Amino acid sequence: MHNDRLSLDEIARRVDAKAIDYCDLSDRIWATPELAFEEHRSVEAQIAMLEAEGFRITRNVGGMATAFVAEFGRGGPVVGILGEFDALPDLAQKSGEISHAPTIAGTPGHGCGHNLLGAGSALAAVALKDALEAEGIAGTVRYYGCPAEESGSGKTFMARAGLFHDLDAAFCWHPSVVNEVQTTSSLACIQAYFRFRGRASHAAAAPHVGRSALDAVELMNVGVNYMREHMPSDARVHYAITNTGGDAPNVVQAYAESLYLVRSPHLPDAERLFERVKKIAEGAALMTETSVSVQITDATSNVVPNKVLQEAMYENMRRLGPPTFDDADFAFAEKLRKAALTEEDVVASVKPHDMSLKSRILHDGLLAMPTREEVMMGTTDVGDVSWIVPTVQCHTACFAIGTPFHTWQLVAQGNLPAAHKGMVLAAKAMASTAADCLRNPDLIARAKAELKERTGGRDYVCPIPDDVTPEDLRAKAA
C-alpha cells in the first residue's frame, strides 16, 4: 500500500510546527549535562514532552534507569528513531565564547552534541506521529531513549534485552560539521579491565619477597606495543593505567590494573585480537609470578550499512536542502575558527569527506553519496541495532567546519541557532524517510533483504557477556 498523504512537504511542515519547543528541549539538556547512566533530568524532560504528545512510555528498559521507550500507534510497520543525551566529563563551557571559559570547572559538557541528538530524534518521532494521527494511518512510531553512548553502550544492553527485534526499520542521526547520509561502517570494540594481583613487601629490605602487580601492568603494555606491528592496520588498541598500586615507591605494589579498548572493522576480528591481548596479559602475569583477571566492561558491534535506506534518505535530504544559515551564523563560526581552531583541526575535520571544504566556514551543501564504502575510525552502539534491523543515519551541519568533537569548542556552539537549524534538518530527514517506509512496504522488504545478505543470515549475538550488567558499568562511570 502506498500512501502519498505522508509526503515530504507534510512531514517538513509538521517538524517546523514544533521545532521551537524541541530546540528549547535541546537547550535545557545542554544546560544540565549528565554523564552515562546518570541522565535523569534529561530523561524526565523528554518523557514529559512525549507523554504530553500522547506517547506511551515504558521506563527502566534493558536494566537501565535512564533508558526508556516512547510509543505511539498500533500494528505494523514499526519504525524506531534513536535518541542519545549523555554528556562528557570535564567539558563545561559557556555558550558562544571563543576561548575556554568553563561554566563550572571540572563538570560535564555536551562535547558530542547529544543534547541536539536526543531532542532532534524526539522531534522527528513527534512529527511522524502527528502525520499518522491526522491521516488515520496504521503503523507504530517508537522513540528510543538510549543512555550511555559515550561510555556504557546503552543500545547494546537494549539490544540484548530484545527491544529492537520487532522493528521494521531504525533511524538516527548525529550532529556534525557536514550534511550527509552516513554510508560508512564503524569499528567494533571490546573494552576490559586487566587486574593484576601480586604480593606486597618492603622494596628495599625484602624486594625478593614481593611480586609486583605494577611490573605486570608495564610488561603487558610492552607486549601489546610489540604486537602492534603484527596486527591488521585498520585495527586499534588503546589503554589507560587506571590503578598503579599506590604512591609509595618503597612498597612493592600488590595490585595494579589497566583498561584496554580493542577495535576492529568486524566484531569477529576484534574478538580474535582481544584474545591475543589476553594472552599477553597472561604472559605478563607469568613473568612476574602474579595473577590476572579480566573483566569485559563494554563492547559494541560494527555498523552494518544499508544502501536501500541510505538512498531513500539521501533523496529526502536532497529535496529538503541544507540548513539556512544566516549572516550571524557565519560570522560567529568564522570568529571561533580564527580564535580557537587550527589548520590541523580543519584538515582533520574535512579529510574524511572532501578536502575542498577547507575554505568553507559552515557547510551549506549536501555531500554526494560515495561510490565505495569506507570504515569510520570510531565506534558507536548504533552498530548493535544495525545487526538486528535495517538502520540508516544522517549527519547535519551544526558546528563550524574544523570543530573537533569532545572539546569545549563544540560545547560552545551546542545551543546556538546554527546548531538548531542542523537539528531541525535531521528531524525532517529521519521522519520523512521513516514515512517512506510506512507508505511503501516494498522499501522495508528490500532493506531487510539487504541486511540478511550483508550479515550472511547470522543472528545477532550481543558482544557483552551475559554476566556483565549495566549496573557494573554504571558503577565504573560514576
Side-chain angles (χ1 to χ4, degrees), residues 108-130:
H110 275 286
C112 208
H114 290 182
N115 59 300
L116 297 158
L117 200 165
S121 292
L123 174 57
V126 167
L128 184 58
K129 162 259 178 188
D130 285 348

Side-chain angles (χ1 to χ4, degrees), residues 62 114 136 152 166 186 231 248 264 266 299 307 310 320 332 353 359 373 379 398 421 424 428-429 436 438 448 461:
H114 290 182
D166 63 340
S186 64
M231 68 184 207
S264 188
H266 301 285
K307 192 172 182 180
Q310 289 167 5
L320 287 163
F332 176 78
H353 308 293
S359 60
E373 290 181 2
T379 299
C398 297
K421 291 169 186 175
V424 170
K428 292 176 180 178
D436 288 341
L438 291 171
K448 287 183 174 180
V461 177

Side-chain angles (χ1 to χ4, degrees), residues 183-186 305 370 372-376:
T183 60
T184 57
S185 181
S186 64
R372 65 176 186 174
E373 290 181 2
E374 304 285 351
V375 176
M376 174 186 70

Side-chain angles (χ1 to χ4, degrees), residues 47 79 95 136 166 398 416 459 468:
I47 286 178
V79 295
S95 173
D166 63 340
C398 297
L416 297 184
D459 291 334
V468 176

Side-chain angles (χ1 to χ4, degrees), residues 3-285:
N3 196 321
D4 294 331
R5 290 174 293 174
L6 290 179
S7 68
L8 181 77
D9 291 343
E10 176 64 11
I11 294 294
R13 186 183 71 78
R14 292 189 178 277
V15 169
D16 286 334
K18 293 184 176 176
I20 291 176
D21 292 339
Y22 286 84
C23 288
D24 176 71
L25 172 64
S26 173
D27 290 352
R28 284 186 282 137
I29 294 173
W30 180 94
T32 56
E34 298 165 300
L35 298 177
F37 300 114
E38 301 295 333
E39 313 98 323
H40 299 287
R41 288 174 297 185
S42 302
V43 165
E44 292 306 320
Q46 293 173 87
I47 286 178
M49 293 188 70
L50 291 165
E51 277 187 325
E53 295 283 0
F55 281 78
R56 303 181 297 276
I57 307 296
T58 305
R59 294 173 176 266
N60 306 320
V61 299
M64 294 171 285
T66 54
F68 70 97
V69 177
E71 183 175 271
F72 180 88
R74 302 286 180 188
V78 183
V79 295
I81 301 177
L82 313 177
E84 300 167 14
F85 32 81
D86 57 326
L88 287 155
D90 303 321
L91 283 180
Q93 170 67 21
K94 293 179 181 178
S95 173
E97 294 287 336
I98 60 171
S99 60
H100 190 202
T103 48
I104 302 175
T107 59
H110 275 286
C112 208
H114 290 182
N115 59 300
L116 297 158
L117 200 165
S121 292
L123 174 57
V126 167
L128 184 58
K129 162 259 178 188
D130 285 348
L132 291 177
E133 188 175 33
E135 302 296 343
I137 296 169
T140 300
V141 181
R142 286 195 195 135
Y143 170 79
Y144 287 86
C146 307
E149 191 276 337
E150 296 290 1
S151 176
S153 300
K155 295 183 197 67
T156 309
F157 284 109
M158 294 170 84
R160 192 173 76 179
L163 295 173
F164 305 110
H165 278 76
D166 63 340
L167 278 182
D168 290 299
F171 306 86
C172 55
W173 78 292
H174 203 289
S176 183
V177 299
V178 296
N179 302 296
E180 65 171 352
V181 174
Q182 183 175 333
T183 60
T184 57
S185 181
S186 64
L187 298 177
C189 78
I190 303 171
Q191 180 172 279
Y193 281 99
F194 290 81
R195 299 186 170 108
F196 292 89
R197 288 175 170 79
R199 188 169 188 267
S201 69
H202 193 293
H208 60 287
V209 175
R211 298 294 182 266
S212 174
L214 181 57
D215 284 354
V217 164
E218 293 191 286
L219 284 167
M220 178 184 176
N221 186 35
V222 170
V224 171
N225 281 331
Y226 274 110
M227 183 189 72
R228 294 181 193 278
E229 184 181 358
H230 308 288
M231 68 184 207
S233 60
D234 55 3
R236 301 286 187 271
V237 179
H238 324 288
Y239 73 98
I241 297 176
T242 50
N243 190 322
T244 61
D247 300 324
N250 60 343
V251 175
V252 174
Q253 293 90 343
Y255 178 82
E257 70 177 28
S258 53
L259 181 64
Y260 274 78
L261 175 57
V262 177
R263 309 198 213 211
S264 188
H266 301 285
L267 183 60
D269 294 335
E271 291 169 337
R272 283 189 287 269
L273 188 57
F274 182 70
E275 289 301 315
R276 294 174 65 188
V277 172
K278 284 171 62 178
K279 288 180 181 178
I280 291 170
E282 292 162 1

